[in-house]
Amino acid sequence: MASRGGVDLGGTKIQTVIVDDDDQVIGSSRRPTPTEGGPQDVADAIADALREAAAEAKVVPADLEGVGVGSPGKVDDDAGTVAGAKNLPDWDGVYDLRAALNAALGVPIRLGNDVQVATDAEFELGAGREHPSILGVFWGTGVGGGIVLDGKPWTGRDAAGEIGHIVINQGGARCSCGRRGCLEAYAGRASMEARARRHHERGEPTVLFEIMEQRGRERLTSGVWARALAAGDKMAEEMLDRAVAALGAGIASAQNLLDVEAVIIGGGLGVRMGEPFVERIREAMMPHLFNDGRPPVVALAALGDPGGAIGASLLARAPR
Ligand SMILES: [Zn+2]
């Protein structure tokens, strides 16, 4: 029996899985992404995380058929490199991630875009598996998108799926990309946190930052938002309402262009907020849908947090 490894390399965490022939997870591990050092330190952390998952699966890394890595930044699987991964430490340039992981693990390494592999996983194994064409929306620190059309991933010239930078408000809020009015500027967790901090500093009441400290966090994680909402925090409610409205407009605009069968909502916030928010996003899309008599299925990502790593493991399948 051949097993494979999958790695979801994120700005905050490295999630790894070992899967068997049937794509079932038989081992996993999760650790924080190094915030200091550089690409080599991140590669070392990936190798360690993978060894840990392999130990749980009772295999040795050298016996794996291969390891797939879903990475942010500009990913070039032919060259084996990742460039300009801004959320990773000192990773502005081009780094040969394949060579580094190859040296550490001694197995074939395949690279893919983090959001696209998560979409591919939902398409093959998760909430999208009944549908020929899907749009994956990953609502987390930013808002990422992945597209599968007629069974094939659509990556454009490398930069397709950037649903977070669909303009929902001309001249609107400043986005992390430097432009204005992008969906991500309203719905991304990082933008929501920056806005919450500004309002908090102005003296507006909120329990968001108390909860953050109680939980020993330095950021307003998805869990912090969920707890504040459960406590009836007005600021959290207002900002999540604003995010849902923005997601409704942005996703409906993408749907007007693509007309896919299903929209899959994943990402840290998406998974954490769950079905009630999927329903709210579905409703928020309706006023903006041109073909409102026949809306797409809008479903929660079925594979949860390990979905990105499971998707990455699909990259490591032997060509058929
Ligand atoms: Zn933007």
Side-chain angles (χ1 to χ4, degrees):
M1 196 187 74
S3 40
R4 289 172 277 124
V7 179
D8 180 14
L9 173 57
T12 52
K13 65 176 192 328
I14 295 168
Q15 166 88 50
T16 69
V17 295
I18 305 293
V19 300
D20 65 15
D21 270 340
D22 297 320
D23 301 312
Q24 296 300 307
V25 175
I26 53 173
S28 67
S29 77
R30 187 176 169 152
R31 64 180 60 203
T33 307
T35 52
E36 289 173 3
Q40 182 65 50
D41 299 280
V42 175
D44 290 345
I46 292 173
D48 285 345
L50 210 95
R51 287 186 197 103
E52 193 184 328
E56 191 184 293
K58 301 195 166 47
V59 296
V60 290
D63 288 342
L64 296 172
E65 194 180 335
V67 171
V69 182
S71 172
K74 187 163 167 40
V75 179
D76 184 342
D77 186 46
D78 292 333
T81 58
V82 173
K86 289 189 215 92
N87 292 330
L88 300 174
D90 196 25
W91 202 318
D92 295 329
V94 180
Y95 180 68
D96 194 339
L97 183 59
R98 173 147 56 219
L101 292 179
N102 229 317
L105 298 166
V107 294
I109 305 289
R110 296 292 304 275
L111 307 178
N113 171 274
D114 53 354
V115 178
Q116 189 60 46
V117 300
T119 303
D120 294 343
E122 288 296 328
F123 177 76
E124 276 205 38
L125 308 168
R129 66 188 183 283
E130 310 274 308
H131 306 286
S133 299
I134 66 169
L135 170 65
V137 179
F138 294 87
W139 179 27
T141 308
V143 181
I147 303 168
V148 176
L149 296 178
D150 262 346
K152 295 193 200 82
W154 175 262
T155 54
R157 297 173 304 165
D158 260 359
E162 291 291 355
I163 194 170
H165 304 282
I166 276 192
V167 176
I168 57 156
N169 184 11
Q170 285 195 68
R174 179 75 73 184
C175 183
S176 60
C177 73
R179 298 170 186 84
R180 285 189 176 277
C182 302
L183 166 56
E184 185 167 305
Y186 295 83
R189 199 175 50 72
S191 298
M192 287 165 60
E193 172 167 344
R195 184 174 158 92
R197 281 188 193 279
R198 288 195 302 272
H199 285 232
H200 182 53
E201 277 158 20
R202 262 185 245 151
E204 288 179 36
T206 179
V207 296
L208 276 165
F209 296 96
E210 271 168 57
I211 293 172
M212 180 187 84
E213 277 163 32
Q214 280 163 12
R215 307 288 306 167
R217 306 282 190 219
E218 286 172 3
R219 288 186 258 213
L220 298 182
T221 60
S222 302
V224 170
W225 284 101
R227 283 187 171 80
L229 195 64
D233 187 70
K234 283 281 169 281
M235 188 186 291
E237 264 174 37
E238 186 258 343
M239 290 196 189
L240 283 161
D241 285 353
R242 193 168 176 262
V244 165
L247 285 163
I251 297 170
S253 298
Q255 175 65 9
N256 291 343
L257 184 69
L258 298 173
D259 195 26
V260 292
E261 279 84 10
V263 175
I264 313 298
I265 309 285
L269 267 170
V271 168
R272 181 73 198 217
M273 295 299 170
E275 190 55 53
F277 270 74
V278 170
E279 177 57 32
R280 292 186 57 194
I281 291 167
R282 199 181 286 135
E283 283 168 17
M285 287 168 61
M286 287 308 293
H288 307 290
L289 278 180
F290 181 70
N291 187 3
D292 56 357
R294 210 157 54 96
V297 169
V298 183
L300 185 63
L303 302 174
D305 276 334
I310 294 169
S313 77
L314 298 174
L315 296 171
R317 282 183 297 207
R320 292 174 183 165

